Amino acid sequence: MNTLRHALRQLLRTPGFSLIVILSLALGIGANTIVFSWIDTILLRPLPGVRHGEDIVALLPTIDGNQVGGHTISLPDIQAYDEMDTVFAGVIGSQITPANVRIGDRHPWLFGQIVTGNFFEVLGVQALPDLGRVLHRNDTTSPGGNPVLVLSEATWRSQFGADPAIVGREIELNQHPFTIVGVVPANFRGTMSGLTADFWAPVTMHREVANFGSLETRTDRWLHSQARLQPGVSIDQARAAVTVRGQQLAETYPENRRHGAVPLPMWQTPYGGQAVFLPALRVLAVVGLVILLLVTANVANLLVARATARQQETAIRLAVGAGRRHLVQQWLTESLLYAVLGGAVGLLVTVWGASFFAIFLPESPLPAGYEFAITGRVLGVTLALSLLTGVVFGLAPALLAIGTSVLEALKAGGRTGSMSGRSHRLRNALVIGEVALALVLLAGAALCIRGSQQARQIDPGFDPSGVLVSGLRIGMNGYDEERGLVFYQQLRERLAATPGVEAVGLASWFPLGFEGGPSIGITVPGYTPTENENMAVPYAIISAGYLEAMRIPLRAGRDFTDLDDGEHPLVMIVNEALAERYWPGQDAVGRKVQTWRGEATVVGVTPTGRYRSLNEPAQPFLYFADRQGVADLNLGIALRTTGGDPRQLLPTLRQAVAALDPNVELWATLPLSEYIEAAHLVNRVATTLLTGLGVIALLLASMGIYGVMAFMVGRRLPEFGIRLALGAAPKDVAGLVLRDGLRLVALGLLVGSVGAWAAGVGLASALPGVSSHDVSAMIGVALLLTGIALLACWLPARRAMRVDPIQTLQAQ
């Protein structure tokens, strides 16, 4: 307690110094805690509101034992894996979908999940007290025969005014009556991490809610699946058991040949916020550590300077019998006090900064968002960082203190003591480290800025400017395939004849959004796959006019026409990556491809574009014609305007849809240029945060350089006075100071260049557009850092130039 009281007195004795130290630590600890709160929410707690969420694993499909990028499994396979009760406490299936709800005279679009009957049971989610129940297995007894809904608490409050009599109320969803049976707590957001579900409906109501999927067909793999591990079962044991079960299913059902499943931790799922933000979070975790090291070095520098200033005090303590162990305890106590106070302020920074993540999310039709909370785990990390940094930066002055020579320190106030020499060398080393770390961060920021610019220049294979996209879910309005084809054809013809519309096309999926597209397994006659080769190819269903609306050129062959219908042979358009893979150096037009629907003929070849991300390698892709029996009743429409803002076409689109069917509601309408902002999200997060942290690193390094040079000038004032008295010019004295400072900067740049190169390699592998060989960016950052360092050295150099030799010598 005496040591603590002394530490408090030291803190209050120098309030300015203490404030700088505490704020510096708050910055470093707060930045790391903010990043960890994001990691905690996005990766470690992807399923908030779920009981013992750490026991939930994702069940992902495989082909020939390899995970192939697919996300979904068929309902019969989910039910088969659910029978593995020695491994799993339950296996669930779900699929998220928008739905149009009629609430009085309002028709809002809500997002919900179609779920298996054991969904809430396996997840351990209960309804709110006095607000009904969750779905049970007996709610999935017959297709189309279980029209019940469970609402989220947020939807109950926002859409239904927190009506206490909500249970038993009937509403209209997609023009079908449903009865609300319960409300679940707001902290449960569903099983698609990063998305918030408004309601949950039984899987047997899939036609009424989403109008897609099958309950019996094993080849219709449309449900995301999760499982709860039994107590004591590891994920490796579950993986082995699932592999065996998959092989059994493959032997029993021919359609499961080559297909299996693999359990993975939820943070490794290829869907949801984990997959989107994992690259950025990896970068930010490293950046946070670098900032913490930089702050620690800076604070250690400040404390070493103060230890030097208190050298005579330390010597007197030792002279009157104080033990060196007691001095170490004293210094560490002071350091830990600063660290704890810095951590407390850093926690306040975290409370404010954790929600900062939301500003990066672009406009999207999906209900994206996170609820960031300061959990016990986040508090634990804050405390651990505070104590660790306190010990680390407290060791430097403590070690200097116990190495003090009492005799030398008492001579002339210790100006020539050994501690001053050691502290000077230590402070030089710390400044070199600060410059090196600042260079790494600034280089990373520069590479991200250049990378973002380059990513904007990447050709995605289509032209997003001047295009309006909108979703149409006519299957939810009671349309079957025959009527749907007529509706879409009439809508396309009506819009194509409208002034201001250059081109119009339909598609089941638009590239570079948050929504992943489907894949289809193919067989190419004459091509022998290598062992475990992935023969699944992403695809989209499109209409005639889509390629024109998106300005996707044809390299060979022709576009789809309205004659490509169910009365004519199946055709497809492929990209150059697919053509080169299966028919290298040959003409792909006219080639045959076997699909689950039968044999299709290639009629056109497009350039290879970017489909799911900007930094994806060239991958095969194919298109089916919408009128050939593969019609999707949930098509989107792409309208290219003849000029101006594509939003000006929205009234035209609304009028055209209403003229055909006033009950059809547009969903998720926005310019294509904004829709594909999802592809730039990771770059924007990394660039913004790295730039901000790079500026902070530059300031910290400048402070460190200035502190060391100012300290050095203060110690050498007598020397400079003598030099000037003997005839040295002021500029020569300034040159000495500048040379010493630039020597430290040069050493820091040399050390930091290695780290900057490693950072460039890491960023290039994670972010689109970033090049690890961007020499101009590296040189620019080094020059910037050198310029700031020159300024930091020049201020002490000016003081050295203005030394009065007579006053300086009289003071000795």
Side-chain angles (χ1 to χ4, degrees):
M1 291 305 297
N2 287 333
T3 304
L4 181 59
R5 279 194 293 269
H6 182 73
L8 283 170
R9 286 196 296 270
Q10 288 293 339
L11 184 148
L12 296 174
R13 185 178 299 168
T14 54
F17 177 90
S18 299
L19 183 63
I20 291 174
V21 171
I22 291 170
L23 291 180
S24 297
L25 290 171
L27 179 67
I29 295 171
N32 277 270
T33 310
I34 287 173
V35 172
F36 183 77
S37 72
W38 293 346
I39 293 173
D40 182 53
T41 298
I42 297 172
L43 298 183
L44 304 183
R45 295 188 302 112
L47 301 178
V50 172
R51 177 175 54 85
H52 299 305
E54 66 277 6
D55 295 331
I56 302 295
V57 296
L59 207 56
L60 277 299
T62 62
I63 295 181
D64 295 326
N66 295 318
Q67 189 184 333
V68 295
H71 303 167
T72 50
I73 296 177
S74 69
L75 180 60
D77 284 350
I78 289 174
Q79 293 168 339
Y81 292 119
D82 188 43
E83 296 171 357
M84 301 170 59
D85 52 10
T86 60
V87 177
F88 298 126
V91 180
I92 60 175
S94 64
Q95 183 56 264
I96 195 162
T97 179
N100 193 249
V101 180
R102 183 187 296 274
I103 306 173
D105 58 352
R106 295 183 297 114
H107 302 268
W109 282 96
L110 301 180
F111 261 84
Q113 284 187 288
I114 311 163
V115 300
T116 51
N118 61 342
F119 182 82
F120 291 100
E121 174 191 351
V122 171
L123 296 177
V125 176
Q126 298 294 326
L128 288 169
D130 302 321
L131 284 174
R133 62 175 179 85
V134 294
L135 299 178
H136 300 146
R137 291 180 185 267
N138 55 13
D139 290 314
T140 55
T141 54
S142 59
N146 308 107
V148 292
L149 288 179
V150 169
L151 297 179
S152 71
E153 182 181 358
T155 303
W156 171 59
R157 295 185 182 278
S158 63
Q159 299 293 340
F160 298 93
D163 179 9
I166 191 69
V167 176
R169 178 173 170 178
E170 187 175 279
I171 64 171
E172 195 173 276
L173 186 147
N174 294 339
Q175 302 183 25
H176 298 283
F178 280 78
T179 300
I180 297 170
V181 297
V183 179
V184 294
N187 65 341
F188 177 65
R189 304 161 68 89
T191 53
M192 182 64 71
S193 176
L195 300 182
T196 302
D198 298 307
F199 67 86
W200 291 266
V203 70
T204 47
M205 302 300 294
H206 66 111
R207 287 295 174 194
E208 291 75 12
V209 178
N211 199 51
F212 62 78
S214 168
L215 302 181
E216 300 87 14
T217 307
R218 291 185 179 273
T219 55
D220 196 350
R221 301 175 175 91
W222 64 286
L223 291 170
H224 294 100
S225 183
Q226 292 86 30
R228 179 179 291 279
L229 295 173
Q230 288 282 16
V233 176
S234 70
I235 195 165
D236 289 333
Q237 292 171 326
R239 188 175 291 119
V242 167
T243 299
V244 172
R245 183 59 171 148
Q247 293 169 348
Q248 294 171 348
L249 294 174
E251 293 172 359
T252 305
Y253 303 101
E255 56 267 49
N256 272 47
R257 186 175 61 88
R258 303 178 60 202
H259 289 273
V262 60
L264 292 177
M266 286 299 298
W267 68 270
Q268 291 184 357
T269 57
Y271 56 82
Q274 307 96 306
V276 174
F277 297 115
L278 183 57
L281 291 174
R282 282 174 172 161
V283 171
L284 293 178
V286 175
V287 170
L289 179 60
V290 173
I291 281 288
L292 190 62
L293 290 173
L294 188 56
V295 167
T296 302
N298 200 270
V299 172
N301 228 332
L302 292 172
L303 291 181
V304 169
R306 193 173 72 164
T308 304
R310 292 168 59 185
Q311 182 176 354
Q312 196 169 27
E313 172 198 331
T314 302
I316 293 172
R317 283 171 172 264
L318 290 171
V320 298
R324 296 182 186 273
R325 177 180 177 184
H326 176 74
L327 289 177
V328 171
Q329 179 183 338
Q330 180 65 54
W331 278 104
L332 286 179
T333 301
E334 292 180 24
S335 301
L336 288 172
L337 180 60
Y338 282 124
V340 170
L341 292 174
V345 178
L347 192 59
L348 295 177
V349 174
T350 304
V351 172
W352 168 80
S355 58
F356 185 67
F357 194 89
I359 70 171
F360 295 111
L361 297 176
E363 183 178 352
S364 169
L366 301 176
Y370 287 98
E371 290 289 338
F372 294 99
I374 306 301
T375 63
R377 188 155 40 195
V378 173
L379 289 173
V381 168
T382 304
L383 179 61
L385 286 175
S386 301
L387 296 178
L388 179 62
T389 52
V391 170
V392 171
F393 68 70
L395 281 176
L399 292 175
L400 285 173
I402 63 174
T404 298
S405 170
V406 176
L407 182 61
E408 291 186 5
L410 291 176
K411 288 179 184 178
R415 284 190 298 272
T416 62
S418 62
M419 180 177 174
S420 296
R422 288 196 306 274
S423 69
H424 188 60
R425 289 191 294 273
L426 178 59
R427 296 190 72 192
N428 286 349
L430 289 171
V431 166
I432 292 171
E434 288 184 67
V435 172
L437 292 172
L439 178 64
V440 172
L441 283 181
L442 287 170
L447 291 174
C448 283
I449 292 172
R450 291 287 291 270
S452 291
Q453 295 171 347
Q454 292 299 317
R456 298 284 176 181
Q457 304 303 315
I458 293 175
D459 180 12
F462 59 90
D463 180 8
S465 62
V467 177
L468 184 75
V469 294
S470 181
L472 291 166
R473 303 269 170 162
I474 63 173
M476 301 175 179
N477 293 81
Y479 282 79
D480 57 21
E481 183 174 315
E482 183 178 353
R483 291 179 57 226
L485 287 173
V486 173
F487 175 90
Y488 281 128
Q489 179 70 13
Q490 291 178 345
L491 178 62
R492 194 160 54 84
E493 292 173 351
R494 184 181 291 268
L495 289 169
T498 302
V501 175
E502 178 182 323
V504 56
L506 302 166
S508 61
W509 175 80
F510 295 115
L512 297 183
F514 278 123
E515 299 173 271
S519 298
I520 184 174
I522 64 172
T523 301
V524 180
Y527 178 84
T528 303
T530 59
E531 185 178 359
N532 297 331
E533 180 178 354
N534 178 18
M535 296 293 288
V537 180
Y539 73 94
I541 300 167
I542 64 172
S543 72
Y546 170 80
L547 297 182
E548 181 184 358
M550 299 288 283
R551 289 185 178 166
I552 299 175
L554 281 166
R555 291 284 192 249
R558 64 171 179 86
D559 193 359
F560 293 138
T561 70
D562 290 339
L563 294 178
D564 293 316
D565 56 21
E567 303 298 321
H568 292 82
L570 187 65
V571 294
M572 64 170 57
I573 294 173
V574 303
N575 69 354
E576 289 179 316
L578 189 147
E580 185 62 27
R581 177 173 172 178
Y582 296 114
W583 310 289
Q586 305 175 54
D587 185 4
V589 175
R591 300 286 181 171
K592 307 294 183 180
V593 177
Q594 191 70 33
T595 73
W596 63 271
R597 292 200 62 259
E599 188 178 70
T601 302
V602 176
V603 297
V605 180
T606 67
T608 300
R610 308 298 171 99
Y611 306 101
R612 293 178 176 171
S613 70
L614 288 170
N615 61 343
E616 68 186 13
Q619 65 171 316
F621 196 88
L622 59 85
Y623 301 97
F624 288 112
D626 68 322
R627 297 175 58 80
Q628 288 208 305
V630 289
D632 190 325
L633 296 177
N634 298 329
L635 294 179
I637 192 160
L639 289 173
R640 176 169 291 280
T641 178
T642 54
D645 187 351
R647 285 188 178 87
Q648 68 186 7
L649 294 177
L650 181 54
T652 299
L653 178 58
R654 291 190 186 280
Q655 291 170 8
V657 171
L660 292 174
D661 188 340
N663 292 318
V664 173
E665 296 282 342
L666 293 177
W667 172 70
T669 305
L670 70 165
L672 182 60
S673 58
E674 295 181 13
Y675 177 86
I676 66 170
E677 278 300 305
H680 297 281
L681 175 61
V682 174
N683 268 57
R684 194 164 74 249
V685 172
T687 299
T688 304
L689 294 178
L690 266 177
T691 301
L693 294 175
V695 171
I696 293 170
L698 185 61
L699 293 175
L700 289 172
S702 304
M703 288 170 55
I705 295 169
Y706 172 79
V708 164
M709 300 314 299
F711 175 75
M712 182 272 292
V713 167
R715 289 182 62 240
R716 296 177 65 183
L717 284 178
E719 173 197 336
F720 294 149
I722 293 172
R723 286 177 179 271
L724 291 171
L726 293 176
K731 66 178 182 180
D732 295 330
V733 173
L736 287 174
V737 177
L738 290 175
R739 278 196 297 274
D740 285 345
L742 290 179
R743 178 174 56 85
L744 298 179
V745 173
L747 289 172
L749 292 177
L750 184 62
V751 174
S753 61
V754 178
W757 174 81
V761 173
L763 289 172
S765 65
L767 305 176
V770 174
S771 171
S772 60
H773 308 294
D774 196 335
V775 178
S776 60
M778 297 287 190
I779 293 175
V781 165
L783 291 175
L784 173 64
L785 192 52
T786 303
I788 298 296
L790 271 173
L791 178 61
C793 293
W794 172 247
L795 296 176
R798 282 183 59 194
R799 181 187 176 195
M801 291 171 59
R802 296 176 179 180
V803 168
D804 187 327
I806 296 176
Q807 291 181 359
T808 303
L809 294 175
Q810 286 177 343
Q812 301 306 305

